[in-house]
Amino acid sequence: MSQYIAAIDQGTTSTRCMVFDHDGAVVAVGQKEHQQIFPRAGWVEHDPVEIWANVREVVGQALARADLTGADLAAVGLTNQRETTVVWDRTTGEPVYNAIVWQDTRTDRIVTELGELGGGADRYKEKVGLPLATYFAGPKVTWILDNIEGARERAERGDLLMGTIDSWLLWHMTGGTDGGQHITDVSNASRTMLMDYRTLAWDESIAADMRIPVSMLPEIRSNSEVYGEGRKAGALAGVTIAGSLGDQQAATFGQVCFSPGMAKNTYGTGNFLLLNTGEEAVSSKNGLLTTVCYKIGDRRPVYALEGSIAVTGSLVQWVRDNLRLIGGAGEIEAVARSVEDNGGAYFVPAFSGLFAPHWRSDARGALVGLTRYVNRGHLARAVLEATAYQTREVVEAMNADSGVDLTELRVDGGMVVNELLMQFQADVLGVDVVRPQIAETTALGAAYAAGLAVGFWADEDELTSQWAEDQRWSPAMDAGTRDRYYRKWQKAVARTLDWVDDDDDA
């Protein structure tokens, strides 16, 4: 029997392949960053051809580092940045335009116009669980069809396909122009604003409103089932492809949050907090998203409430690259530890507007509370604290929607190595924060989904038994200080609103 499972983790800033053994331990990793393209203020793009090339490269890296071949893999799973959208030619495989990234705000006018047809931002929420926002994939397709010469005519002839990054990669991985499968999974489909989350089918009336031909849409499949085999060329030739989840659902799966009431928060480019609500889809009244969490084979889907925060880890990246305040992301903790507190400075990183629970595309970033006392260390603290405060906003909304206060938060992602941030997060929330031994649970979740589909792991109980705690942070801040800090944060957020005017480009 093949001894390993591979997972491809295609993220916002890089692509990874991780190989896991039966105990869920990491055997090997290959990773490569890809270019971030910013044509105009508010626009964010990726080159989908570069991403596909990087997938092939990192798979080869990971297998070589473990001295393995495709024959050693029982299956491969995929996880991806979710709402990032590609439109490509079904005959040539060529994209008609760069991938429009989930952070991109160019569709603001499109979503406003859709809301003006009736219902405002909640026009489709009863069906899709999402507000009208630039975040989601459907309006990105509309923008491409409206703005790229000849694209709409080609789409209406049936020549073009659309999909989030999972669809783009699965199509190529299963053969591309030589019989590739045009498929997506329920978790990614639930982020398009085009899928009815109860029926798990495309809603043709919404597609018509967005002027998207249904012939472009991929077939919707579960998260854990055999999709096909790797294309004849390449390192995964003949390997079973059997799992696909959007990155945040994959992290929830990797954190084994299989029971209603369990929650995880991923600290990556942005932050994404998901609460398992079981087979009941809970409609949010407090600015959260109702989303499909996962569906295993023919079983009923499991739903989640999600709080999406656009800018957390990418704020550290911005401070490194744009301000040159630090030389590397890992330096920020030491710089922040050089002072006792934020010196009164608060940084609200509304670079793409504010996501949950505000959903204000008119907001823009602000650094407030500055005095001549504030120094580099205070700014570094303000950058880290912004992640913790934004997370508290989401947790309060989640507590209100679910009617049950969160008692423990499982955390994962690249930022959880920052112990200053993790302690401050526990302090601001007033609950324990727990990091698992495998902090990069996104790839692990994709591996788990693929492994379940082929019998590599027996069931969710076996996966749960593999989860192990690495470190726990308990609150050490008194309630009065916590509340005072948070009130200042809320004042800072108010300063960011209503910045974009109707005649602005972004």
Side-chain angles (χ1 to χ4, degrees):
M1 178 182 173
S2 300
Q3 297 299 305
Y4 305 98
I5 296 282
I8 295 164
D9 179 358
Q10 202 301 293
T12 306
T13 58
S14 71
T15 303
R16 267 185 314 188
C17 178
M18 301 184 77
V19 179
F20 297 91
D21 66 16
H22 197 271
D23 293 329
V26 178
V27 175
V29 182
Q31 183 165 357
K32 187 172 184 179
E33 289 192 1
H34 56 267
Q35 183 184 9
Q36 305 295 311
I37 304 167
F38 305 106
R40 292 166 62 175
W43 292 27
V44 190
E45 298 175 2
H46 294 157
D47 178 355
V49 175
E50 179 190 12
I51 287 175
W52 168 229
N54 288 359
V55 166
R56 303 197 301 275
E57 184 174 336
V58 299
V59 168
Q61 284 177 6
L63 292 177
R65 286 169 183 167
D67 197 23
L68 302 174
T69 69
D72 296 304
L73 301 177
V76 61
L78 173 67
T79 181
N80 61 287
Q81 50 169 322
R82 293 174 299 180
E83 298 81 8
T84 299
T85 305
V86 189
V87 174
W88 70 99
D89 188 293
R90 69 166 71 236
T91 303
T92 67
E94 292 294 318
V96 304
Y97 189 72
N98 278 338
I100 300 180
V101 179
W102 57 273
Q103 302 153 309
D104 190 286
T105 60
R106 78 186 68 187
T107 59
D108 192 39
R109 285 196 179 91
I110 294 172
V111 300
T112 299
E113 289 166 2
L114 286 167
E116 288 171 349
L117 294 174
D122 291 340
R123 177 177 173 82
Y124 304 118
K125 192 173 182 182
E126 178 59 30
K127 287 184 176 181
V128 303
L130 314 171
L132 274 165
T134 59
Y135 183 20
F136 305 109
K140 300 181 195 299
V141 178
T142 303
W143 188 94
I144 291 173
L145 297 185
D146 285 347
N147 289 276
I148 304 306
E149 186 176 356
R152 181 162 297 285
E153 292 77 8
R154 292 165 67 189
E156 290 172 353
R157 286 199 305 267
D159 294 341
L160 299 184
L161 304 176
M162 67 75 67
T164 41
I165 291 291
D166 61 305
S167 294
W168 167 250
L169 293 179
L170 287 168
W171 186 79
H172 280 289
M173 289 168 66
T174 56
T177 56
D178 187 22
Q181 292 197 55
H182 187 214
I183 58 177
T184 189
D185 66 80
V186 290
S187 65
N188 277 294
S190 74
R191 314 299 293 195
T192 61
M193 256 188 345
L194 297 168
M195 187 191 80
D196 186 315
Y197 66 76
R198 293 183 181 86
T199 65
L200 307 184
W202 299 121
D203 188 294
E204 295 191 11
S205 66
I206 299 176
D209 285 351
M210 296 189 190
R211 307 186 311 284
I212 298 172
V214 293
S215 61
M216 300 180 71
L217 304 178
E219 178 188 355
I220 301 172
R221 306 279 285 273
S222 81
N223 300 107
S224 179
E225 63 175 272
V226 174
Y227 305 130
E229 292 185 348
R231 65 196 184 101
K232 296 174 184 176
L236 296 177
V239 177
T240 301
I241 301 169
S244 176
L245 302 101
D247 52 8
Q248 303 313 318
Q249 286 93 336
T252 309
F253 212 78
Q255 285 272 39
V256 298
C257 293
F258 298 135
S259 300
M262 296 184 74
K264 70 87 203 175
N265 198 23
T266 297
Y267 296 72
T269 302
N271 266 37
F272 302 89
L273 201 158
L274 270 73
L275 172 74
N276 183 326
T277 63
E279 295 181 0
E280 178 188 4
V282 176
S283 181
S284 175
K285 295 178 174 60
N286 294 281
L288 303 181
L289 310 177
T290 302
T291 196
V292 177
C293 193
Y294 60 85
K295 183 178 187 297
I296 298 174
D298 294 333
R299 296 192 221 165
R300 289 174 57 83
V302 171
Y303 293 94
L305 281 170
E306 176 176 334
S308 307
I309 304 167
V311 179
T312 55
S314 57
L315 177 58
V316 177
Q317 204 174 41
W318 182 83
V319 165
R320 179 196 69 190
D321 297 342
N322 291 42
L323 297 190
R324 309 274 175 106
L325 192 70
I326 51 174
E331 291 180 23
I332 196 162
E333 181 172 4
V335 176
R337 284 188 184 278
S338 68
V339 293
E340 291 298 316
D341 55 33
N342 64 15
Y346 289 80
F347 201 147
V348 185
F351 296 158
S352 303
L354 289 170
F355 282 21
H358 307 281
W359 297 108
R360 291 289 296 266
S361 60
D362 62 313
R364 285 298 178 269
L367 179 56
V368 302
L370 296 181
T371 62
R372 289 194 66 181
Y373 171 69
V374 172
N375 63 29
R376 177 170 172 251
H378 297 125
L379 292 181
R381 275 228 175 216
V383 165
L384 294 179
E385 290 178 359
T387 291
Y389 288 126
Q390 290 181 100
T391 298
R392 174 164 169 177
E393 290 181 321
V394 168
V395 167
E396 288 191 343
M398 205 159 272
N399 289 344
D401 276 338
S402 67
V404 179
D405 286 352
L406 189 73
T407 57
E408 174 183 287
L409 185 63
R410 292 187 173 187
V411 299
D412 55 70
M415 294 183 81
V416 300
V417 299
N418 190 312
E419 299 199 5
L420 177 65
L421 170 60
M422 292 297 99
Q423 182 59 57
F424 191 75
Q425 185 69 87
D427 288 342
V428 166
L429 291 178
V431 301
D432 283 6
V433 169
V434 185
R435 182 175 70 195
Q437 287 185 1
I438 299 179
E440 295 294 351
T441 54
T442 305
L444 182 61
Y448 279 167
L452 285 177
V454 298
F456 188 79
W457 289 292
D459 51 31
E460 292 96 311
D461 289 342
E462 183 178 6
L463 302 182
T464 299
S465 71
Q466 293 185 358
W467 190 92
E469 180 178 316
D470 175 56
Q471 192 163 345
R472 178 181 293 265
W473 291 268
S474 297
M477 182 182 289
D478 67 86
T481 302
R482 175 188 305 134
D483 291 343
R484 185 173 72 254
Y485 284 176
Y486 188 57
R487 283 196 303 274
K488 287 280 192 180
W489 166 260
Q490 290 174 307
K491 288 176 69 175
V493 170
R495 303 298 194 271
T496 72
L497 303 177
D498 196 27
W499 184 260
V500 178
D501 294 325
D502 290 340
D503 57 352
D504 286 343
D505 288 332

